[in-house]
Amino acid sequence: MFCILAVVILGSAVMCVTTKRIMRAATFMLLVLFGVAGLYFLLDYTYLGAAQIAVYAGGVTMIYVFAIQLVSKRTLQGLVERMKGSRVVFGSLVTLVGLATVAFVFLKNHFMCQACKVADVELPMEQVGTALLGSEKYQYILPFEFISVFLLACIIGGLVVSRKEED
């Protein structure tokens, strides 16, 4: 199942960034987000999977589609992106530098050795809930609040864009 989800995620991600049609790109992005949610469900992280579907696949993707539909067709008709050789070379170099940086950090900090270790005990659900919704160090209430403010800003932006202009 992991291999199927990995192929769906990678294939959809590549198609998302290479397609020339913006609605197809949004659809492929939706498939990527559903695939990541599938990985969470595969790992028995049902809360994270549900949050992934509700917040990202449901909310953010629908806001993108809403914004795309609001932009006039005249604006989108003139947008044809041509791939230049210099841009491809520069993008490839930046990608290789990023890959080398990640590999260096992984090797320097021995992340690969730590990832192979399995936890001896299972965490109780109360401790997981406290970590997700606590406000102390290494707790995640602040990122949840940032996500809610981000979604509110996207909704307000969609309303501003959809407002009819006065002549």
Side-chain angles (χ1 to χ4, degrees):
M1 193 64 187
F2 173 79
C3 292
I4 293 170
L5 286 172
V7 167
V8 168
I9 291 170
L10 290 175
S12 297
V14 168
M15 291 301 295
C16 180
V17 297
T18 58
T19 187
K20 293 183 191 249
R21 303 209 181 252
I22 195 161
M23 285 303 289
R24 288 183 185 169
T27 304
F28 286 125
M29 184 181 75
L30 181 66
L31 286 175
V32 169
L33 295 172
F34 274 129
V36 172
L39 287 178
Y40 287 143
F41 287 125
L42 188 65
L43 293 169
D44 287 332
Y45 293 145
T46 54
Y47 177 76
L48 288 177
Q52 175 79 14
I53 290 173
V55 174
Y56 292 108
V60 175
T61 304
M62 290 306 117
I63 290 171
Y64 285 157
V65 170
F66 180 63
I68 290 167
Q69 292 296 327
L70 289 176
V71 175
S72 68
K73 290 184 179 181
R74 289 178 298 195
T75 306
L76 292 176
Q77 284 175 353
L79 297 177
V80 176
E81 184 70 25
R82 305 264 189 248
M83 303 233 330
K84 296 180 181 176
S86 61
R87 281 183 150 181
V88 172
V89 170
F90 180 71
S92 300
L93 287 175
V94 169
T95 302
L96 288 175
V97 168
L99 180 65
T101 303
V102 169
F104 174 74
V105 169
F106 265 57
L107 293 175
K108 182 178 181 241
N109 293 321
H110 306 289
F111 282 138
M112 298 309 285
C113 296
Q114 293 173 0
C116 296
K117 296 177 184 175
V118 178
D120 294 335
V121 293
E122 189 172 323
L123 292 176
M125 190 53 70
E126 181 180 339
Q127 189 174 355
V128 173
T130 303
L132 285 175
L133 298 175
S135 60
E136 301 295 320
K137 188 175 183 181
Y138 302 120
Q139 294 179 346
Y140 295 101
I141 192 67
L142 191 59
F144 280 153
E145 291 299 322
F146 281 142
I147 288 172
S148 66
V149 170
F150 171 71
L151 289 174
L152 179 64
C154 289
I155 291 169
I156 292 172
L159 290 174
V160 168
V161 169
S162 68
R163 192 176 61 174
K164 291 187 178 184
E165 296 178 14
E166 295 179 14
D167 292 334

